[in-house]
Amino acid sequence: AQKVTQAQTEISVVEKEDVTLDCVYETRDTTYYLFWYKQPPSGELVFLIRRNSFDEQNEISGRYSWNFQKSTSSFNFTITASQVVDSAVYFCALSEALRGSYIPTFGRGTSLIVHP
Amino acid sequence: GAVVSQHPSWVICKSGTSVKIECRSLDFQATTMFWYRQFPKQSLMLMATSNEGSKATYEQGVEKDKFLINHASLTLSTLTVTSAHPEDSSFYICSAGSWDQPQHFGDGTRLSIL
């Protein structure tokens, strides 16, 4: 079984604040992938990052950074100097080999509201 | 540009109508596509895995006679909501992607049954 927990349902910050979205996962597989997606109010899902289970290097992309720690089964996402355009629902997802296909399982999502 | 095209983006229809949603993979062949349903302020719930040339695999609790899935080619999967009722109103999203790549999502279909 696989499970993704995003304990923060909603986060509200003021523009320019840093914010971290938490993601904790459970899996018995040693090979898996973790993802983050952004869903703005318009509804489409935007891919942000993919990380495989063998690569624990943290990654930075502009104002976005990700901290992958297998020891705590966490894959947290930090937005530095948040902007109003960052307001969206962010989903963490996990996929592992299942029936020959990697079927992603999504967390419940964290709604980020950035106030001007 | 989009690699997965979903159509229509918005449907309003009367109760009892059947509605077909198309999901096309552009620029690549998708042997597997996924259909999700999303209620307001909730996560994506996997409904079924659509396999090209074979029957779809439905998740527990999803009525296969209600949600018909056809994956007749490597670039097209369709979801038909048969005899739709107001409780079927939701946001439906398809995705495609290989095992080691992120899913490419369609833009979703907002279905409203009156």
Side-chain angles (χ1 to χ4, degrees):
Chain A
Q2 52 181 325
K3 182 179 176 182
V4 177
T5 302
Q6 293 180 256
Q8 304 148 309
T9 305
E10 183 176 296
I11 300 176
S12 183
V13 299
V14 177
E15 208 169 20
K16 298 185 182 178
E17 282 185 29
D18 298 346
V19 58
T20 295
L21 283 62
D22 298 331
C23 175
V24 175
Y25 63 93
E26 295 178 30
T27 179
R28 294 179 182 178
D29 209 325
T30 56
T31 302
Y32 52 89
Y33 282 87
L34 293 161
F35 306 86
W36 275 95
Y37 294 89
K38 174 182 180 180
Q39 187 177 38
S42 50
E44 77 276 14
L45 278 142
V46 179
F47 163 72
L48 296 178
I49 190 171
R50 175 193 68 160
R51 180 50 49 93
N52 75 55
S53 53
F54 300 107
D55 181 4
E56 286 193 72
Q57 275 195 330
N58 292 330
E59 183 158 337
I60 298 174
S61 176
R63 295 184 297 106
Y64 295 170
S65 62
W66 290 268
N67 184 351
F68 177 30
Q69 292 193 348
K70 289 179 72 172
S71 60
T72 55
S73 297
S74 64
F75 187 41
N76 297 338
F77 172 34
T78 298
I79 301 175
T80 303
S82 59
Q83 300 175 2
V84 173
V85 293
D86 296 327
S87 297
V89 180
Y90 292 86
F91 291 99
C92 180
L94 164 73
S95 66
E96 59 180 358
L98 180 67
R99 297 193 292 269
S101 298
Y102 277 58
I103 301 176
T105 298
F106 288 81
R108 295 173 61 89
T110 297
S111 176
L112 175 64
I113 303 170
V114 182
H115 299 282
Chain B
V3 294
V4 172
S5 173
Q6 188 172 340
H7 178 81
S9 56
W10 192 26
V11 179
I12 301 176
C13 59
K14 294 181 179 179
S15 185
T17 307
S18 290
V19 178
K20 179 185 283 188
I21 302 170
E22 294 186 347
C23 182
R24 294 181 183 273
S25 60
L26 313 174
D27 302 330
F28 71 101
Q29 295 180 329
T31 54
T32 303
M33 290 186 179
F34 303 104
W35 286 96
Y36 294 87
R37 182 174 182 177
Q38 185 181 30
F39 290 103
K41 297 186 183 299
Q42 295 191 23
S43 186
L44 284 75
M45 292 183 57
L46 180 65
M47 298 174 65
T49 302
S50 173
N51 305 297
E52 187 269 334
S54 65
K55 291 182 179 180
T57 304
Y58 289 82
E59 295 300 301
Q60 192 173 6
V62 177
E63 300 176 61
K64 55 185 69 176
D65 294 332
K66 174 71 160 178
F67 300 100
L68 300 179
I69 291 173
N70 183 276
H71 196 152
S73 76
L74 287 170
T75 59
L76 174 64
S77 175
T78 61
L79 167 67
T80 301
V81 183
T82 61
S83 186
H85 292 285
E87 59 267 26
D88 298 322
S89 298
S90 191
F91 188 56
Y92 294 88
I93 310 174
C94 69
S95 74
S98 58
W99 68 274
D100 60 344
Q101 296 296 321
Q103 293 295 307
H104 297 288
F105 287 90
D107 286 344
T109 298
R110 295 190 186 279
L111 176 62
S112 295
I113 309 298
L114 304 177

